[in-house]
Amino acid sequence: KAREDMIPICFKSLGRDAAGHTLRDPKKIIEICRKVPELTYRNECATGAVNVIVDFWGPDLEGQASELCTLFDAQEKSTCYTVLAGRLHDLFTVPDDIKHICDTFEPNYQHLCR
């Protein structure tokens, strides 16, 4: 029942909530985001979820974001990796640190880090 212009924000919030509620567990996040009915909105769910993982990055989270991206279907996967690659500069200032994370991307998506 949300206004049309607010629907994408609702689904991005669903991704954010899914990541928080599941303690950033990629398999549980994907179960929630897959229930979203339309591709456009599943992309929003993916964006919200991967942003939470990035926002709470730490030594124990190194592979969580990439693992989440691998679980999405092709379209959502591209969105997930694009958001993740774009956010790496928020986390790291040393190029080798960014490269280390980019190396965890599936080969078809590693170009997004360049």
Side-chain angles (χ1 to χ4, degrees), residues 15-75:
R16 179 201 66 214
D17 292 349
H21 178 73
T22 65
L23 301 176
R24 297 171 300 282
D25 181 311
K27 290 181 178 122
K28 291 179 181 176
I29 293 168
I30 202 74
E31 287 176 19
I32 294 168
C33 285
R34 281 193 175 139
K35 293 178 183 177
V36 174
E38 292 181 38
L39 175 61
T40 301
Y41 302 137
R42 283 194 303 272
N43 281 326
E44 295 296 337
C45 191
T47 298
V50 78
N51 273 318
V52 167
I53 291 173
V54 170
D55 289 344
F56 292 92
W57 202 278
D60 296 332
L61 301 178
E62 192 171 285
Q64 247 179 347
S66 294
E67 180 183 349
L68 175 62
C69 293
T70 66
L71 297 174
F72 279 109
D73 293 333
Q75 182 63 40

Side-chain angles (χ1 to χ4, degrees), residues 78-110:
S78 179
T79 297
C80 187
Y81 279 120
T82 299
V83 170
L84 177 54
R87 293 291 312 277
L88 289 177
H89 295 283
D90 295 343
L91 295 171
F92 304 106
T93 56
V94 178
D96 283 346
D97 291 338
I98 293 171
K99 183 185 179 320
H100 177 71
I101 301 302
C102 289
D103 287 345
T104 67
F105 285 26
E106 292 172 85
N108 290 345
Y109 299 94
Q110 288 183 357

